[in-house]
Amino acid sequence: MKDIDPPDVEALVAELRERIAVRERAGDQPPYLDADLAAQFARVVDSTPAFGDRERLVALLDRVRLAVEGSAPDHDMLAVLVDMVGEMANLLAASETRNTNLERRMDYAEYLIEELRRDQGGDPDTLSALRHRVDRLETELPASFAPPFSAAAFQEHFQDSGERQRHWYRHLAAQFLDVPGPVLDIGCGRGDLLVELQRIGIRATGVDTDPSVTAICRERGVDAELVDGLRMLERSGSGSFGGIVALQVIEHLDPGRAARLVELTFSKLAAGGKLILQTVNVESLFALARAFVIDPTHVQPVHHTYLEFLLASAGFDPVTVEFQSQLDDGERLVTPGDGPDANIDRLNEVLFAPQDYTVTGIKPAESSG
Amino acid sequence: MARAGGSEIALHQFVEALASRDAVGSHVLQCERLLRDLGVESKIYTRTVHPELTGRGFNHEDFRPGKTPTALLYHTAIGGPVADYVCARPEPRIIHHHNITPADMFRVWDPNLAGFLDLGRSQLAALTPDAILGLGDSRFNAGELEQLGARRTAVTPILLDLEDILHEPDEAVLDQLTAARRGGSSWLFVGRLSPNKAQHDIITAFAFYRRTVDPVATLRLVGVSSSVAYEQALVRLISDLDLQDAVTLAGSVPPGTLAAEYRAADALVVLSDHEGFCVPVLEAWHHGLPIVAYAATAVTETVGSAGVLLANKSPAVVAAAVATVLEDADLRSRLVTTGRLRLGEFSLKESRRAFTDAVMPVLDELASR
């Protein structure tokens, strides 16, 4: 192939600079345009608030986790690292703006992780204890928004624990009677469902990220672990569970983590296993205006058609949707006069549709994923 | 090439994720086809499979070697558990290095991703010295493997079926884009909004061009965002430079629209700090679009003499180069002709031949042991 002669860019730049100089002298253009424009993006970056400290610490913890779950590394160095992350979490919780002390520690921790990857050899018992500490640390990292109350206090105040609610948990527990393995309850809260599952003889474990509620579960004699649900799934083997349930959890996750949750549940369920997810029904304006916004830790509502699509895309088949928590007639608009009123009925549908829905997916028997 | 002595051999591929509409994902699928055409037993093992490719990849932990002599082919792109898995396997391994974006380019924008890129680099360093063969899409990539201690390397361009990526333009979109130019010249860049692709430098150079050469020029940046924080910074930069009416972030577009974007533009401007190959260069050649590019990483050798390569990317230099390409009809026409010729060098037939020539002798040696 014949090469082409490259244009003389230097000469062109000189010509362009001359053109600019003429315009600068004429007052048509500010001086030092080239340098000024080249520095513009740096100004944008510098004036951006210190995003990323928390994300960087989470990433760091992810890498520590990979180290503890990888082939046995030096556990003394790992213990130092885990301590450092704990210390950094405290620093992060105490600072509202960019914290150079924290940044230096993170730089050092990243260096140590690299060292760790090179230096193999450690004993499994110590590693297992460290793994447990990493799980705990994750739940102790300050959240983007850290509420000044415990999950137990919040649920005590806002959640219905009456007969209707108990009936719902009994109904739900019965859905897992025929599943091919133990049940995992992600975001198990005070363990209401775990108690019902235990009552009918189904082996079940709960996970939650709030120690106030896992403590209550233990007091009630049901098995609950203080660990993030996604983490629990990631470290479980393929096909470990016969059923997975997450009630009012997915609205606490950003879209990426929500999709990851569905993807992981599919791989961790045994063939024939069942996934049930419950969340706020977006099509009920009453529920959006109340249940969704009352909890400040909600990230975003999830429409039932999207969640249905997400499960089907992950491979669940069949996928079904059911609506729950119909409002009492007392909450609904009343028809004036005796006869039916189509407008009132329609308004009732839009405003007061059932407040929650569940999406249920079955992992097909022939699936290997 | 025929299998030597009719002996049997298996080369199974491992990749962190099997993605759809992605250069590495398409390459892995093409590799599988080629290996099977060559009589080599081959399957794809990965951690995640895009739903569109269900059934094409298997979980890496389910890999079980048969009695046939077996080697593993690992594709690099980002860090993850598959690399550790391959590293711990006893089978001989080949590394195909598609390159890993330097983590520092993402550190400020997406620390989580940066952590996985760091991990990828450190895994690559562990995988390479023992590999029986290192493949690079470009001389640049193969050179990195040599620096890490690879004993035997070859350059085998990405296996890309041009039929799959080169589409005819959507005429209605083309009309709209042409009308939107309002008589000014039009710059184009195609690729994920990503710090290593340096869209901020394109915007800055474009601002210079608007102020010195063509006050009604427009710039279109086509590609999905890979970092929300970086995208937000670009939006701020566009606003700070008062370019809201001139710069469009077009997002991800379907094939017919993408073809129309190439046809409606006057130049493809590539100022990336890091690319492992740069597929849009091939698309630009196909659509007869001249290229102005910053000579860095693999861009230099992909573009070759079929584009204007710049040794620095200060706004004045880039603006001068684009102005020349647009004003000098003879240069433009030579660039377009050379580009069409060079496109032929990346045909699937040529790339398959390069892969076969590099890989089969190594497999034959293994089979005859």
Side-chain angles (χ1 to χ4, degrees):
Chain A
M1 190 174 65
K2 185 181 175 301
D3 284 1
I4 58 160
D5 304 327
D8 185 351
V9 176
E10 289 305 317
L12 291 162
V13 171
E15 188 189 316
L16 201 61
R17 285 198 196 286
E18 182 50 37
R19 221 191 289 181
I20 294 161
V22 170
R23 292 178 62 167
E24 280 175 10
R25 284 195 292 273
D28 292 343
Q29 195 166 283
Y32 311 114
L33 181 65
D34 193 17
D36 193 48
L37 282 173
Q40 185 68 36
F41 189 64
R43 283 195 288 274
V44 169
V45 175
D46 285 347
S47 63
T48 307
F51 45 66
D53 278 354
R54 181 182 183 279
E55 286 69 16
R56 193 171 163 201
L57 196 51
V58 170
L60 201 65
L61 194 55
D62 269 343
R63 296 180 62 203
V64 173
R65 174 183 304 286
L66 273 171
V68 291
E69 289 178 356
S71 43
D74 172 349
H75 56 255
D76 287 339
M77 202 199 282
L78 196 52
V80 170
L81 255 174
V82 175
D83 285 344
M84 278 181 73
V85 177
E87 204 182 311
M88 288 187 283
N90 291 335
L91 273 174
L92 182 63
S95 65
E96 285 175 5
T97 53
R98 175 153 267 161
N99 182 332
T100 48
N101 193 11
L102 175 62
E103 283 174 10
R104 273 201 302 275
R105 277 158 205 259
M106 289 202 276
D107 287 345
Y108 185 58
E110 278 163 1
Y111 162 77
L112 284 184
I113 289 174
E114 276 310 302
E115 288 292 297
L116 204 61
R117 288 189 60 78
R118 289 191 205 108
D119 189 12
Q120 304 285 308
D123 103 79
D125 287 346
T126 317
L127 277 174
S128 157
L130 281 170
R131 194 170 298 153
H132 187 67
R133 281 175 59 198
V134 170
D135 283 347
R136 274 199 73 92
L137 256 178
E138 183 150 61
T139 64
E140 286 163 9
L141 268 189
S144 314
F145 162 70
F149 46 81
S150 70
F154 183 86
Q155 288 171 20
E156 184 65 35
H157 187 82
F158 287 105
Q159 270 185 12
D160 175 16
S161 53
E163 188 52 37
R164 189 154 81 166
Q165 198 62 11
R166 273 196 293 278
H167 177 76
W168 157 241
Y169 285 122
R170 271 184 221 131
H171 164 78
L172 200 58
Q175 309 292 308
F176 291 101
L177 274 171
D178 54 352
V179 295
V183 173
L184 175 67
D185 181 356
I186 297 174
C188 61
R190 294 169 300 185
D192 293 329
L193 176 62
L194 292 171
V195 167
E196 293 303 331
L197 287 165
Q198 192 180 55
R199 202 190 302 276
I200 54 176
I202 296 173
R203 218 151 36 94
T205 303
V207 291
D208 207 298
T209 54
D210 192 305
S212 67
V213 292
T214 49
I216 294 177
C217 286
R218 285 189 208 110
E219 277 169 28
R220 297 175 79 181
V222 288
D223 182 20
E225 211 181 316
L226 180 65
V227 58
D228 177 84
L230 281 170
R231 286 289 164 235
M232 178 71 173
L233 289 170
E234 275 167 1
R235 70 177 198 207
S236 304
S238 298
S240 297
F241 302 104
I244 298 176
V245 57
L247 306 176
Q248 310 290 342
V249 168
I250 204 156
E251 67 275 19
H252 292 264
L253 307 179
D254 64 46
R257 281 168 60 84
R260 177 92 182 118
L261 176 77
V262 172
E263 180 193 13
L264 277 172
T265 55
F266 187 79
S267 74
K268 307 302 175 176
L269 277 172
K274 184 183 281 184
L275 170 68
I276 299 184
L277 300 175
Q278 187 194 44
T279 183
V280 176
N281 179 18
V282 184
E283 291 197 341
S284 165
L285 294 185
F286 181 88
L288 265 188
R290 262 182 88 88
F292 188 78
V293 295
I294 277 177
D295 187 341
T297 61
H298 282 169
V299 173
Q300 72 168 47
V302 184
H303 196 277
H304 66 84
T305 53
Y306 170 67
L307 198 51
E308 192 180 3
F309 168 75
L310 205 55
L311 264 69
S313 302
F316 286 100
D317 184 23
V319 178
T320 51
V321 179
E322 268 184 58
F323 294 90
Q324 297 94 27
S325 320
Q326 184 65 268
L327 283 154
D328 295 333
D329 281 350
E331 300 277 6
R332 299 161 71 88
L333 299 177
V334 182
T335 311
D338 296 334
D341 183 320
N343 286 332
I344 295 289
D345 289 348
R346 182 75 195 111
L347 267 176
N348 271 328
E349 270 174 37
V350 174
L351 296 172
F352 305 113
Q355 298 180 84
D356 299 310
Y357 70 90
T358 49
V359 174
T360 302
I362 306 292
K363 179 168 175 172
E366 67 274 18
S367 170
S368 62
Chain B
M1 181 186 276
R3 294 281 315 109
S7 55
E8 295 285 322
I9 192 148
L11 179 62
H12 295 296
Q13 301 190 81
F14 287 77
V15 61
E16 296 297 336
L18 185 59
S20 163
R21 283 174 260 172
D22 160 84
V24 175
S26 313
H27 171 79
V28 170
L29 294 170
Q30 284 289 348
C31 261
E32 182 183 54
R33 189 182 302 170
L34 172 56
L35 287 166
R36 288 177 180 176
D37 288 350
L38 292 166
V40 177
E41 184 188 332
S42 188
K43 277 186 175 179
I44 300 168
Y45 291 91
T46 181
R47 191 166 52 91
T48 52
V49 179
H50 189 277
E52 284 176 14
L53 299 173
T54 302
R56 300 293 303 269
F58 302 88
N59 191 297
H60 63 284
E61 288 175 349
D62 295 335
F63 169 68
R64 301 284 178 276
K67 291 195 176 130
T68 322
T70 299
L72 313 182
L73 169 56
Y74 179 75
H75 296 271
T76 66
I78 191 166
V82 179
D84 282 339
Y85 179 84
V86 170
C87 202
R89 294 289 316 174
E91 292 82 6
R93 78 177 84 94
I94 299 176
I95 305 296
H96 195 149
H97 186 35
H98 302 284
N99 223 297
I100 299 168
T101 307
D104 282 345
M105 293 183 181
F106 270 97
R107 194 92 58 207
V108 180
W109 308 107
D110 188 339
N112 195 19
L113 180 57
F116 279 96
L117 294 169
D118 272 333
L119 177 66
R121 285 272 163 198
S122 107
Q123 289 174 323
L124 178 65
L127 284 163
T128 304
D130 298 338
I132 53 168
L133 175 65
L135 302 173
D137 302 326
S138 51
R139 189 63 246 153
F140 171 71
N141 292 0
E144 284 195 353
L145 294 179
E146 284 157 13
Q147 279 175 8
L148 289 170
R151 288 165 292 173
R152 184 171 177 176
T153 61
V155 178
T156 58
I158 202 155
L159 296 174
L160 198 65
D161 192 348
L162 296 176
E163 298 285 315
D164 286 347
I165 62 160
L166 305 178
H167 294 265
E168 284 311 302
D170 180 324
E171 291 297 334
V173 176
L174 184 54
D175 288 346
Q176 281 169 15
L177 291 173
T178 310
R181 290 177 49 154
R182 295 183 297 242
S185 47
S186 172
W187 294 29
L188 175 69
F189 176 75
V190 176
R192 283 175 297 109
L193 295 184
S194 179
N196 60 302
K197 295 187 186 280
Q199 279 93 347
H200 55 278
D201 286 332
I202 303 177
I203 293 168
T204 311
F206 174 73
F208 191 94
Y209 182 83
R210 284 258 300 187
R211 294 186 197 181
T212 54
V213 179
D214 178 358
V216 290
T218 51
L219 163 65
R220 295 183 64 83
L221 299 170
V222 177
V224 68
S225 170
S226 65
S227 154
V228 175
Y230 182 65
E231 183 182 358
Q232 284 169 350
L234 291 183
V235 169
R236 268 195 62 190
L237 179 65
I238 292 166
S239 158
D240 289 355
L241 294 172
D242 203 16
L243 291 171
Q244 295 95 321
D245 295 336
V247 180
T248 306
L249 302 181
S252 174
V253 299
T257 303
L258 181 61
E261 292 278 6
Y262 281 107
R263 289 290 169 92
D266 292 314
L268 181 78
V269 182
V270 179
L271 303 183
S272 305
D273 289 306
H274 188 274
E275 295 276 359
F277 182 78
C278 202
V279 172
V281 163
L282 274 57
E283 294 170 329
W285 287 331
H286 172 74
H287 293 289
L289 191 62
I291 296 164
V292 172
Y294 174 49
T297 60
V299 173
T300 314
E301 55 182 299
T302 304
V303 171
S305 60
V308 176
L309 284 171
L310 306 175
N312 90 63
K313 54 172 171 172
S314 89
V317 170
V318 178
V322 176
T324 313
V325 167
L326 299 195
E327 286 163 14
D328 184 340
D330 178 48
L331 171 66
R332 193 168 65 245
S333 136
R334 280 183 295 143
L335 283 172
V336 169
T337 311
T338 322
R340 290 226 162 94
L341 286 172
R342 184 149 170 77
L343 187 59
E345 296 175 26
F346 294 97
S347 70
L348 185 59
K349 193 175 157 198
E350 291 295 328
S351 306
R352 277 170 68 104
R353 195 204 319 260
F355 183 90
T356 309
D357 289 350
V359 172
M360 291 314 285
V362 175
L363 293 186
D364 286 339
E365 285 166 27
L366 278 182
S368 58
R369 269 185 201 170

